[in-house]
């Protein structure tokens, strides 16, 4: 059986689609999977069970990346095509069955993706972390396997970034004397182009910081974050990686849409700005370079969310996700 799975070029959306992919892999354990996605999330799929071919799709002028994908797939007769990009490729290759993504703005993205195959409840995102990524985590993380605090102080848009001094203050509270993670070190993660924006946090933390900024691909980042006791970060693909890895996750939202893109799972929480989103978006529209869009989140509010999250149920949940159950036996 041959399955073509077309997912997002964006990191966060690709992570949120992994639950559906896991369902297909478990439902059809002998199938050969071809996965097409953007170059950034591609490393997350390299260890998917049954993977036959991984096709990264760097964008090209005149949408030629879609032509390239069609050429790579047109010679195969597919038993099943699942196209989360709703593309022409999914319609122009030979296939016995095809399923396409349709928008459902009133649902969380995980629920929206689950509807593609009629899965309710939807399968939760999950990651397949390979030995190479674990070895990279061993190299990058000092002090063995002792759990640490992980933070993601950047995002793909500066308007979604909580102030660096508040990240530093929160980390100091949580890891200082009497804090929930007293004595633990703090891993700071950011994509390569965002390293400079994370530097103020690193400087404020001093020798307590583990600098992982610009040093990991998404798979290695997942291997590192999975070892954390807690992850706190802005609305970003890294936030979704942390939640999918089973790490207790707190996501921070100002002008974003937590009802659609909040971190998914029982060990996840969102903290939302006190300033109404409509006001924040109006400020951004009036001035695309507007700053302070995340100022409506107080350090105390995030600290309270951490206290609510790190309860007795969290460890039980983490033990479950290390041996995840199979997806519901429904759908194709």
């Amino acid at each position: 059986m041959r399955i073509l799975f077309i997912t997002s070029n964006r990191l966060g959306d690709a992570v949120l689609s992994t639950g559906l992919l896991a369902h297909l892999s478990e439902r059809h354990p002998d199938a050969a999977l071809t996965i097409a996605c953007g170059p950034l999330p591609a490393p997350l799929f390299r260890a998917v069970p049954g993977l036959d071919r991984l096709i990264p799709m760097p964008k090209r002028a005149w949408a030629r990346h879609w032509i390239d994908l069609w050429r790579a797939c047109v010679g195969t007769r597919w038993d099943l095509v699942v196209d989360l990009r709703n593309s022409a490729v999914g319609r122009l290759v030979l296939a016995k069955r095809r399923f396409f993504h349709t928008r459902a703005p009133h649902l969380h993205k995980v629920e929206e993706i689950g509807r593609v195959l009629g899965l309710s409840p939807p399968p939760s995102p999950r990651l397949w972390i390979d030995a190479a990524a674990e070895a990279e985590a061993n190299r990058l993380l000092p002090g063995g396997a002792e759990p640490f605090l992980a933070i993601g102080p950047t995002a793909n848009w500066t308007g979604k970034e909580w102030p660096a001094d508040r990240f530093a203050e929160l980390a100091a509270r949580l890891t200082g004397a009497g804090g929930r993670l007293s004595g633990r070190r703090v891993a700071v993660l950011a994509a390569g182009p965002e390293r400079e924006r994370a530097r103020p946090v690193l400087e404020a933390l001093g020798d307590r910081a583990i600098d992982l900024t610009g040093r990991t691909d998404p798979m290695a980042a997942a291997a590192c974050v999975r070892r954390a006791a807690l992850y706190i970060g802005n609305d970003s693909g890294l936030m979704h990686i942390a939640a999918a890895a089973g790490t207790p996750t707190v996501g921070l939202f100002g002008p974003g849409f937590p009802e659609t893109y909040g971190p998914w799972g029982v060990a996840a929480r969102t903290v939302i700005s006190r300033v109404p989103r409509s006001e924040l978006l109006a400020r951004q529209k009036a001035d695309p370079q507007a700053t302070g869009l995340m100022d409506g989140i107080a350090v105390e509010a995030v600290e309270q969310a951490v206290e609510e999250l790190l309860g007795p149920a969290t460890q039980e949940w983490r033990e479950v996700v290390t041996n995840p159950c199979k997806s519901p036996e429904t759908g194709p």
Side-chain angles (χ1 to χ4, degrees):
M1 184 176 185
R2 294 191 172 275
I3 299 175
L4 173 62
F5 187 82
I6 303 174
T7 188
S8 183
N9 65 320
R10 299 196 301 179
L11 181 58
D13 283 318
V15 172
L16 294 178
S17 75
T18 56
L20 191 66
L21 180 61
H23 169 82
L24 290 171
S25 176
E26 293 164 356
R27 184 79 170 173
H28 308 287
D30 296 325
L33 287 168
T34 293
I35 301 170
C37 62
L40 178 58
L44 291 174
F45 298 104
R46 70 187 186 214
V48 173
L51 180 67
D52 181 56
R53 187 176 184 189
L54 179 59
I55 305 177
M57 295 172 56
K59 285 191 174 182
R60 301 181 62 198
W62 309 104
R64 285 180 294 170
H65 49 289
W66 288 112
I67 297 174
D68 292 341
L69 179 61
W70 175 80
R71 287 173 174 164
C73 298
V74 70
T76 301
R77 182 174 181 84
W78 302 96
D79 295 282
L80 179 63
V81 171
V82 176
D83 185 355
L84 301 184
R85 303 288 296 277
N86 201 20
S87 71
V89 172
R91 294 172 168 83
L92 295 177
V93 295
L94 294 173
K96 294 179 180 179
R97 292 185 294 171
R98 313 168 197 266
F99 296 87
F100 296 92
H101 174 262
T102 56
R103 293 292 310 278
H106 61 289
L107 296 176
H108 190 281
K109 185 62 67 172
V110 170
E111 296 172 309
E112 184 181 275
I113 291 171
R115 285 180 47 163
V116 172
L117 297 182
L119 302 177
S120 182
S124 295
R126 61 172 297 182
L127 301 175
W128 301 267
I129 299 176
D130 61 14
E134 294 288 7
E136 186 68 1
N138 289 337
R139 184 183 71 82
L140 292 170
L141 295 173
E146 181 182 13
F148 50 89
L149 171 64
I151 60 174
T154 62
N156 62 354
W157 170 42
T158 56
K160 296 194 296 184
E161 294 181 355
W162 201 39
D165 61 336
R166 298 191 192 184
F167 267 112
E169 180 183 348
L170 177 66
R173 290 190 187 190
L174 293 175
T175 62
R180 193 62 189 261
L181 299 174
S182 179
R184 305 294 177 86
R185 296 192 68 183
V186 184
V188 182
L189 295 97
E194 301 162 3
R195 288 191 69 179
E196 286 304 309
R197 303 207 300 274
R199 188 170 298 281
V201 180
L202 289 165
E203 292 175 349
L205 292 172
D207 59 8
R208 288 177 297 164
I210 303 171
D211 183 2
L212 300 181
T213 61
R215 302 175 69 189
T216 62
D217 68 9
M219 176 76 93
C224 291
V225 170
R226 186 167 68 170
R227 304 182 187 192
L230 173 70
Y231 174 87
I232 303 170
N234 302 309
D235 172 19
S236 69
L238 184 58
M239 176 194 72
H240 293 299
I241 285 176
T247 300
T249 298
V250 177
L252 310 181
F253 285 78
F257 295 81
E259 65 274 21
T260 303
Y261 282 108
W264 181 267
V266 296
R269 298 289 186 275
T270 59
V271 180
I272 302 171
S273 173
R274 296 191 306 269
V275 181
R277 180 171 58 209
S278 57
E279 179 180 330
L280 296 172
L281 292 176
R283 284 168 54 186
Q284 189 270 333
K285 184 177 181 181
D287 177 12
Q289 305 303 317
T291 59
L293 298 183
M294 295 284 284
D295 288 354
I297 298 178
V299 171
E300 292 76 12
V302 185
E303 195 171 20
Q304 180 180 346
V306 169
E307 289 300 318
E308 294 172 355
L309 178 59
L310 294 183
T314 300
Q315 182 58 35
E316 295 172 9
W317 184 85
R318 293 198 75 187
E319 290 171 0
V320 170
V321 298
T322 57
N323 295 287
C325 297
K326 291 187 176 182
S327 304
E329 293 299 322
T330 57

